[in-house]
Structures are given as structure tokens and as C-alpha cells.
């Protein structure tokens, strides 16, 4: 085990200004800005690492060997950081400060660096809590299979999730070798994804793969339902079979949930890709993602006569006019309203939860002061 206290002040993460050397973790997304953020932690004897996967209070993380500068993977305990909130707990893609000398049973994650972006969804069921899926992502690939008719409403939902993360979304229509009308389908998807690049690819024939590589520099996360070919795309982009895959069911083209964890995979040309399990539920967690995913409707709304128009029956409503002349599909408007209602519900539940937490905090303070004979004691 390494002695983290021996980490030199000129960390191997930092480029040597005299030689122009590339930091060992540069291929994983390390930047000069991260170097500055990590400097105090390096002085404390901690080592920077990027979390590859998380599993039951532990994680695998890649780091630069303090002695040789070579990249290695360490298994570390994550229970010292984060809390019960699934948003703040360590996740795949996080940059972490690892204490290699933490002792038995293994090294430990001592701190997480601030995230530049985070993909957060509402947890399944009626709870309003959030769950972070991946962190520090530059591009979100929303994958949908051409082997079955793409669900435009679900694609819009994934796009809202992607926009909300702060990353750049790209829609990738997979399995192009199985259909003859890929361009026709792409036109429908483009109408549901204004301002978003839509690619048609085939892992079988290689169609569109080079363009996809060019569109996914840095850190890319792949989202989509099970069976759309996310792990197959990961294997093609990585150049080797790093993820297990199974054929989709022939009857409905649904997947078999082969991928069960979120895993970060290095790519041969630089950058990394985070493969994710298929998502059955894509609950939104509030924010501006819906407005960005439906930028066309938001632009129409700015032309309404009244700034607080509900697009219901108001005179001079540009949105209703677009619905009437067919330039705005009814399906898309219904999807927009549905996701807006979800956002409003999340906001109301979040506000109620914050109010409840504040009340509980003040009750605890009051109880403590009374017990201590403070000014609140009668």
C-alpha cells in the first residue's frame, strides 16, 4: 500500500511546465481547474482519483501512482463522504480525494470535488427524492432503437433530464441496419428534439460511428431503455468488449437488463464513456430541463398577448394558434404539459420537505435550549 504522505508537492497530476508533459489523468478528464481545486487536498496527503463504479459503500477509482505516475485502480470505502441523500453520495464520474493510507480494510474516499454537471432523476415511486446517475458529464447520449418505433414522448423526457444536468444532449438512433426508413424516422425525432443533434448509427455495419465519436469528446454518459444497444455502443466506441450484451427479446425488442451498474470506460482516442443500466422510469427532478427540451413551445409562448398566458383559451395565444394550424403537434403539447405538471409537483414536494426539515431543526434547538435552562425555558 502506498504512503500517501509521500506525495510530492509537484503532483504527477499536474503537467510539467518545463517539459509540457501531459497529466496521467488527462485522458479521464483532469483539467488545470481541477488541479487548483485539488491543491489543498494534495497537501493533506490525499490522491486524486476518478470513480469508475460504485457498489454498496465501496467504489473502484482510477488514480495516478504517486511514485511512478502510472494509472492504477483502487478499491476504496465511500462511507466517509456523502449522506443519506442520494444526490450527494459518491457516484460514477465523481472526482474524489482518496486516502491511500487509511488502513484496513481498504483505502477510503475522504472528499468529493465539486461537480461541474450531474444527471439527476427522481427516484422511482411516489417519493420526491432525487438520485444522481452520473457526474461531471460533458455529453449525454440519449439512445433509442430503430428496431421498434421510437417513443417520442420518452425521448423528450430523456432530453429534459439531459438538459437539466448541464451537459449537451445528443440523440442516437441505433440498429439502423434493421430498418429501411431510418431517415424518415430521424425527421420525426428531430422535430421532437429542436436544437439537438440526431444521429443514425449501426454497431453492426459501422454506420455513423465515426460521427458519433466526433460528437462525444470528454465525458459521455449513455442513457436509454434496456435493449436499445447502449452497451453495444460502448463496446464499439471502446474498441473492445468491455460490457456484456444480450439480444433484445424478439417479440417486443425490450432488453434483458444485462448492465446492472453505471460504469466508466476509457476510450482509445481519449475521453471516457459512462454506460448505464436501462431506465424503466425517467422521473424529472425539476429545473429548466423541460423549458430547454421544449424550446420551440417556449419561443411561441413569448409571442402570446399575455405574459402569464396558460395556453388554454386566452385570446392572442401564439401556442394555440400553432396548434390550430398544425405547426405544433398536439402530441408534443400534451407531453410538454405533462412534464410541466411533474416539475410543479416536484417543486411543491421539495418546498414542503425543506419546510419540514427547518421545523424539525428548530424543534431540536428549542428542546435543547429548554433543557439547558436557556431563555426559552419557562
Amino acid at each position: 500500500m502506498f504512503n500517501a504522505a509521500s506525495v510530492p508537492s509537484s503532483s504527477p497530476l499536474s503537467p510539467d511546465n518545463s517539459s509540457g508533459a501531459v497529466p496521467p489523468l488527462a485522458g479521464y478528464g483532469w483539467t488545470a481547474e481541477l488541479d487548483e481545486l485539488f491543491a489543498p487536498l494534495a497537501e493533506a496527503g490525499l490522491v486524486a482519483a476518478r470513480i469508475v463504479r460504485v457498489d454498496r459503500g465501496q467504489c473502484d477509482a482510477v488514480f495516478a501512482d504517486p511514485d511512478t505516475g502510472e494509472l492504477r485502480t483502487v478499491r476504496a470505502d465511500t462511507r466517509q463522504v456523502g449522506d443519506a441523500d442520494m444526490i450527494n453520495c459518491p457516484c460514477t464520474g465523481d472526482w474524489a480525494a482518496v486516502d491511500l493510507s487509511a488502513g484496513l480494510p481498504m483505502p477510503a474516499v475522504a472528499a468529493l470535488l465539486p461537480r461541474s454537471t450531474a444527471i439527476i432523476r427522481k427516484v422511482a415511486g411516489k417519493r420526491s427524492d432525487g438520485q444522481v446517475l452520473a457526474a461531471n458529464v460533458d455529453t449525454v447520449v440519449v439512445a433509442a432503437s430503430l428496431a421498434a418505433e421510437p417513443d417520442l414522448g420518452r425521448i423528450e423526457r430523456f432530453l429534459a433530464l439531459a438538459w437539466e444536468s448541464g451537459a449537451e444532449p445528443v440523440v442516437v438512433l441505433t440498429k439502423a441496419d434493421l430498418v429501411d426508413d431510418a431517415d424518415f424516422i430521424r425527421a420525426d425525432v428531430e422535430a421532437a428534439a429542436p436544437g439537438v443533434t440526431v444521429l443514425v448509427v449501426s454497431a453492426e455495419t459501422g454506420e455513423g460511428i465515426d460521427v458519433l465519436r466526433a460528437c462525444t469528446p470528454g465525458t459521455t454518459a449513455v442513457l436509454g431503455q434496456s435493449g436499445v444497444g447502449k452497451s453495444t455502443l460502448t463496446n464499439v466506441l471502446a474498441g473492445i468488449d468491455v460490457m456484456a450484451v444480450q439480444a433484445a427479446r424478439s417479440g417486443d425488442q425490450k432488453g434483458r437488463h444485462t448492465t446492472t451498474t453505471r460504469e466508466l470506460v476509457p476510450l482509445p482516442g481519449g475521453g471516457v464513456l459512462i454506460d448505464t443500466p436501462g431506465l424503466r422510469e425517467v422521473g424529472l427532478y425539476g429545473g429548466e430541463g423541460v423549458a430547454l427540451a421544449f424550446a420551440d413551445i417556449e419561443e411561441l409562448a413569448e409571442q402570446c398577448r399575455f405574459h402569464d398566458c396558460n395556453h388554454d383559451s386566452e385570446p392572442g395565444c401564439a401556442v394555440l394558434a400553432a396548434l390550430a394550424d398544425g405547426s405544433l403537434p398536439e402530441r408534443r403539447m400534451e407531453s410538454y404539459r405533462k412534464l410541466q405538471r411533474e416539475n410543479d409537483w416536484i417543486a411543491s414536494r421539495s418546498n414542503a420537505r425543506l419546510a419540514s426539515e427547518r421545523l424539525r431543526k428548530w424543534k431540536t434547538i428549542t428542546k435543547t435550549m429548554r433543557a439547558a435552562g436557556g431563555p426559552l425555558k419557562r
Side-chain angles (χ1 to χ4, degrees):
M1 182 174 293
F2 296 109
N3 180 4
S6 66
V7 177
S9 58
S10 57
S11 168
L13 294 169
S14 305
D16 185 337
N17 292 331
S18 61
S19 64
V22 177
L25 281 175
Y28 280 81
W30 189 263
T31 64
E33 290 76 13
L34 288 172
D35 233 1
E36 295 179 8
L37 285 172
F38 193 77
L41 297 169
E43 292 178 359
L46 303 176
V47 174
R50 192 155 199 197
I51 294 180
V52 174
R53 71 181 65 82
V54 178
D55 179 31
R56 298 180 181 179
Q58 299 177 4
C59 74
D60 291 334
V62 63
F63 71 103
D65 187 318
D67 297 324
T68 67
E70 295 180 356
L71 294 182
R72 295 188 57 183
T73 301
V74 64
R75 186 74 170 172
D77 193 319
T78 63
R79 290 173 293 180
Q80 294 184 26
V81 295
D83 48 37
D85 187 342
M86 287 187 286
I87 293 179
N88 297 318
C89 62
C91 75
T92 302
D94 265 326
W95 286 104
V98 177
D99 184 357
L100 295 174
S101 60
L104 297 176
M106 63 181 63
V109 174
L112 297 178
L113 271 64
R115 295 164 176 164
S116 59
T117 62
I119 303 173
I120 302 174
R121 71 161 178 174
K122 186 186 78 67
V123 297
K126 296 182 179 180
R127 293 168 54 195
S128 60
D129 301 321
Q131 175 191 20
V132 61
L133 302 179
N136 302 308
V137 173
D138 302 303
T139 307
V140 175
V141 166
V142 176
S145 172
L146 290 168
E149 183 176 355
D151 185 336
L152 298 180
R154 183 167 287 271
I155 290 174
E156 290 164 341
R157 182 178 288 272
F158 272 114
L159 287 174
L161 188 72
W163 281 120
E164 177 59 25
S165 73
E168 186 79 14
V170 175
V171 177
V172 175
L173 303 177
T174 64
K175 306 183 182 182
D177 54 291
L178 300 181
V179 297
D180 298 323
D181 56 349
D183 289 336
F184 178 79
I185 298 174
R186 174 167 58 183
D188 286 342
V189 174
E190 287 175 338
V196 177
T197 298
V198 179
L199 303 178
V200 173
V201 307
S202 168
E204 184 71 23
T205 66
E207 177 186 352
I209 296 299
D210 288 341
V211 178
L212 176 58
R213 284 196 180 98
C215 291
T216 53
T219 298
T220 300
V222 184
L223 302 180
Q225 290 180 285
S226 182
V228 300
K230 301 185 301 298
S231 295
T232 300
L233 276 182
T234 299
N235 290 341
V236 170
L237 293 174
I240 56 174
D241 290 342
V242 292
M243 302 299 294
V245 297
Q246 292 188 62
R249 298 197 302 242
S250 59
D252 54 13
Q253 291 300 314
K254 290 186 178 180
R256 305 170 189 268
H257 295 280
T258 307
T259 302
T260 57
T261 61
R262 293 178 286 279
E263 184 158 351
L264 185 147
V265 177
L267 301 180
V272 294
L273 187 148
I274 299 176
D275 191 17
T276 64
L279 296 178
R280 288 190 178 95
E281 291 191 30
V282 191
L284 302 184
Y285 195 63
E288 297 298 320
V290 173
L292 292 170
F294 293 86
D296 53 341
I297 298 180
E298 292 286 322
E299 290 177 5
L300 285 171
E302 292 179 358
Q303 303 171 28
C304 292
R305 180 184 301 178
F306 304 109
H307 72 277
D308 58 349
C309 183
N310 291 319
H311 321 306
D312 186 15
S313 59
E314 297 87 346
C317 176
V319 174
L320 292 178
L323 289 170
D325 65 23
S327 57
L328 175 62
E330 288 280 355
R331 181 213 61 79
R332 184 160 171 78
M333 187 63 189
E334 290 174 3
S335 179
Y336 173 66
R337 284 174 168 152
K338 180 179 181 180
L339 297 186
Q340 272 194 322
R341 288 194 296 270
E342 285 190 27
N343 265 1
D344 292 343
W345 182 83
I346 284 290
S348 65
R349 290 294 296 267
S350 298
N351 291 338
R353 184 170 63 248
L354 289 174
S356 176
E357 290 173 355
R358 285 195 297 269
L359 179 61
R360 185 165 57 250
K361 175 183 176 181
W362 281 109
K363 282 183 175 180
T364 301
I365 293 174
T366 301
K367 182 177 180 180
T368 301
M369 294 183 69
R370 284 176 173 168
L376 292 179
K377 185 175 181 180
R378 295 179 181 177

